[in-house]
Each structure stands twice: as C-alpha cells, then as structure tokens.
Amino acid sequence: MSGPAAGIPADGFPQDLADLHLLVGSYTATGGGNATGISVVHGTTASTVAVMDDPSFLALSGDQVYAVSETADGRVSAFRYAGGALEHRWDADAGGDAPCHVRVDPSGALVVTNYVSGTVTAVSLEAAESHAASVTASDGVVGTHGSADRVVVPESALVTGVLPDVEGPVEDRQEGPHAHQSIATPDGTVLVADLGGDALHEFRVTADPATDLVRVHHLGPGVGPRHMAWLGAGADADADLVVAGELDGRVYRLRRDDSGTLRPIASAAAFDGEVGESLLSHVEVDQAGRVVVAVRGRDLIVVLDTADDGLTVVGSASCGGVWPRHFAQVPGYLLVANQMSDAIAVLPVGSDGVPGEAVAQIAVGSPACIVPVPARS
C-alpha cells in the first residue's frame, strides 16, 4: 500500500478498531514459545492476565473463559472474566496428552480434544461449577491460577472417549489417532477431527457427562483433517461441512448422504505446487459464505468461493507474518495469530473477501488462538 487507507491513521492502527478487545491463547516456554500465559488485548496493547503453561486454545461463553494447557499432563482451566481480569475458578483433567482445542457444547458439556493421546473428553459444566462453588464456600479458596489451593474437578464430572488406534500414510504425523478439533452438528451430535486417522468421529455428547460414538466418517489417506466449519450458520440440517486437510493442503466440502455419512462433494488445493512443509491450520466461513483458510509454511490466507456446490480459490494474500496458526474475523478485518512472529497481524478485508496487506501488528508472544470479546452493554 502506498499510504494509509481511509480511516487508518499514520501510526497504522485502524481508528475503527480503537475499542478492539481480545483474549489470546499462546505458547509459553514449556512449548517453546515466548508468552507467559493468557493475554488480553485492548486496542494495540496486550498484557498477561493468567500465568499458565501453553494455553494454546481458548473458549468464551458469557463471562466464562476456558483454556487448555497443551502439556503432557493436559488439563483445562476455567476462569471468570470481568474488568479486564481473569478470576481462576477450577481445573480439570483433560483426559489425555496435549489438549489442543476446547469448546462449550450446547449439551452443557465442555468438550476437550487431546492431540497426542487421540482422546476426547466431556466435562459436565454443571458438576464442575457446583463443585467449585462448594469448595469455595467451605474453604474460601481465592481464584489465583497456579496456587496450591486450586480447585480440581472430581473425575466423576468428566468422561473420556478414545479414538480407534489407527495409522495413516504420513508416517511421522499419522502413527496413531490425533484428535484436533470438535464441532457441534445441526443434529445435536459432535464431530471430532482425527488428523492421525483421516476420519471424523461423530459422538453423542450429554451433560451427564457421556460420549457415545454414533458413526465414523472416513476421508482419503493422508488428508489429515485439522479444523472444520459449517457453511451458513450450521443450524440447517442440510448444511455442508468444510474441512481443512492439514497434511495434503486441500480444503474439502462434505455433505450427508441418505445414510447419514458425510461424503466429499468438492475439494480444492489451497495453493499450487508440492505440499512439503505447507500445512493448513484454521478454517472459517465468512458472512458471504466464502471459505477462509490459513496456510503455515507459505504464510498465506486463502479465500475460496462456494458457489454451485463447489470450492474455487478466489485469491490469496500474505498472512502478515510467519506461521499463521489461527485467525479471527471482526467487521472489516482479519486478525491473524502469527505464532512465529510474536504478533497478531491486522489485515483489512476487501470486497472479494481477500485480505490486503497488514496495516498494524499487535505484539503478543507466540499467539495460537484469538477470541474477540463482544462489547458489553
């Protein structure tokens, strides 16, 4: 860009993002990163609000924040967020090694996927909160993360499902199941992407808690499904599912057939040439129904059109840094967590959905997940 765009002052930060409010999960020294825990961003300023090991993925529900600790003895922590601060509420066993995704399910369970061990855990939020409230009332536990007095949710409040012990053709990445992300379906079930097994496992999750396997949807060998998103709002029973293939560099569009099986109806390469070390990461659908996917290694944001039941690349642009692990959409902009740049790049989005050059950088150590915080009335 030859000069600041309209609405962008000389210092580069857009005026319409002056009230930007984010929660950011990152990698700490434990995982080779440069952060010290969870950060909060106001405008261009980031500060640590909870010190913990490798909070690589966050979920926000009302004023409750849930964070994984992507460590060998994985756990998930709950916080109450208010006034720019996090009050630690409780910790729970993640049910496996290296939890990399957490999500609040409509069933009332907190769903955690554990990458290394290939497991998925459901935590009853009602039971967890009830236990935390009773301990706090009796012992007066102060909500400080990492203290010896921390509240640990009992095992009766969680259940863990184990993905099938399978292997894939990419030997160094598919030596076993690797649960990477979960997503709710319009049918009230939960899909879990298994990067190691080239499959999507569909569970019935309840707040009891319980996880019951419903069916398995197989993808091609070496796809390595990582993240998923629904086309449209996802509430439509006929909605198609979009899957990012981390290992083969392709984006897939899946649709249920009469048997209930999700089958690919279209796919497209996110970039030209050999895959090599080019790894797809996060995928979302924008308001116009276009697919947006990040490509690590090539450091790209790629936009695909979904017209006529297909997938066609509209264009691509620089992610504004190195190793785009995650991104978030806010009106008019794409915020990209460039893990190896220690910054969040602010990219203006054009009318075709393709981002322009970064107009600002927000310094955050090893960012891995961005959660916009809605304005409170």
Side-chain angles (χ1 to χ4, degrees):
M1 301 176 68
S2 59
I8 299 175
D11 63 5
F13 196 73
Q15 293 175 344
D16 50 352
L17 292 182
D19 295 327
L20 184 66
H21 190 181
L22 310 170
L23 286 164
V24 182
S26 295
Y27 284 101
T28 64
T30 302
N34 298 314
T36 54
I38 301 172
S39 300
V40 63
V41 171
H42 290 287
T44 60
T45 304
S47 57
T48 302
V49 288
V51 176
M52 61 183 293
D53 289 336
D54 291 342
S56 64
F57 208 90
L58 312 175
L60 175 66
S61 178
D63 65 351
Q64 302 298 303
V65 178
Y66 304 97
V68 300
S69 183
E70 192 178 333
T71 57
D73 54 344
R75 70 177 185 272
V76 60
S77 298
F79 303 86
R80 179 177 292 118
Y81 185 59
L86 286 177
E87 175 195 355
H88 184 213
R89 294 283 296 144
W90 48 260
D91 295 328
D93 188 344
D97 300 336
C100 61
H101 188 268
V102 61
R103 182 182 57 82
V104 178
D105 191 70
S107 66
L110 188 69
V111 179
V112 184
T113 50
N114 299 289
Y115 181 80
V116 170
S117 56
T119 57
V120 55
T121 296
V123 181
S124 168
L125 288 176
E126 181 179 4
E129 288 297 329
S130 176
H131 175 75
S134 65
V135 171
T136 301
S138 60
D139 296 342
V141 174
V142 178
T144 302
H145 193 270
S147 72
D149 295 326
R150 67 191 181 95
V151 177
V152 179
V153 172
E155 292 186 3
S156 59
L158 56 94
V159 64
T160 297
V162 181
L163 302 187
D165 188 11
V166 296
E167 298 179 355
V170 184
E171 294 181 1
D172 62 335
R173 297 295 308 281
Q174 294 186 309
E175 78 293 347
H178 293 308
H180 217 306
Q181 185 212 28
S182 77
I183 190 172
T185 77
D187 302 312
T189 56
V190 172
L191 289 170
V192 176
D194 177 7
L195 183 145
D198 289 322
L200 309 180
H201 302 269
E202 189 168 1
F203 290 87
R204 182 75 60 184
V205 174
T206 63
D208 297 329
T211 59
D212 298 314
L213 184 64
V214 177
R215 59 173 64 87
V216 180
H217 310 272
H218 295 282
L219 297 174
V223 169
R226 178 185 172 96
H227 277 200
M228 305 167 283
W230 292 104
L231 283 173
D236 185 350
D238 296 324
D240 291 345
L241 182 72
V242 175
V243 179
E246 174 171 336
L247 302 183
D248 73 349
R250 299 187 69 86
V251 179
Y252 293 83
R253 181 173 184 168
L254 279 60
R255 180 175 296 170
R256 286 194 191 269
D257 63 16
D258 292 339
S259 71
T261 300
L262 285 163
R263 301 188 184 279
I265 63 167
S267 73
F271 49 82
D272 295 330
E274 296 294 326
V275 174
E277 297 300 316
S278 302
L279 306 175
L280 302 195
S281 57
H282 189 52
V283 64
E284 290 187 10
V285 176
D286 71 11
Q287 289 188 333
R290 295 172 293 233
V291 174
V292 184
V293 65
V295 186
R296 293 165 296 171
R298 300 195 179 214
D299 298 332
L300 295 174
I301 299 296
V302 180
V303 179
L304 301 95
D305 185 66
T306 59
D308 302 323
D309 290 343
L311 283 172
T312 306
V313 173
V314 174
S316 62
S318 167
C319 67
V322 180
W323 212 250
R325 187 174 185 89
H326 191 255
F327 59 81
Q329 300 179 74
V330 297
Y333 299 90
L334 194 71
L335 309 176
V336 184
N338 288 313
Q339 181 184 339
M340 296 184 182
S341 297
D342 291 325
I344 295 170
V346 180
L347 310 180
V349 176
S351 59
D352 60 356
V354 179
E357 294 181 11
V359 294
Q361 301 282 346
I362 303 170
V364 182
S366 307
C369 175
I370 303 172
V371 179
V373 179
R376 307 289 185 188
S377 57

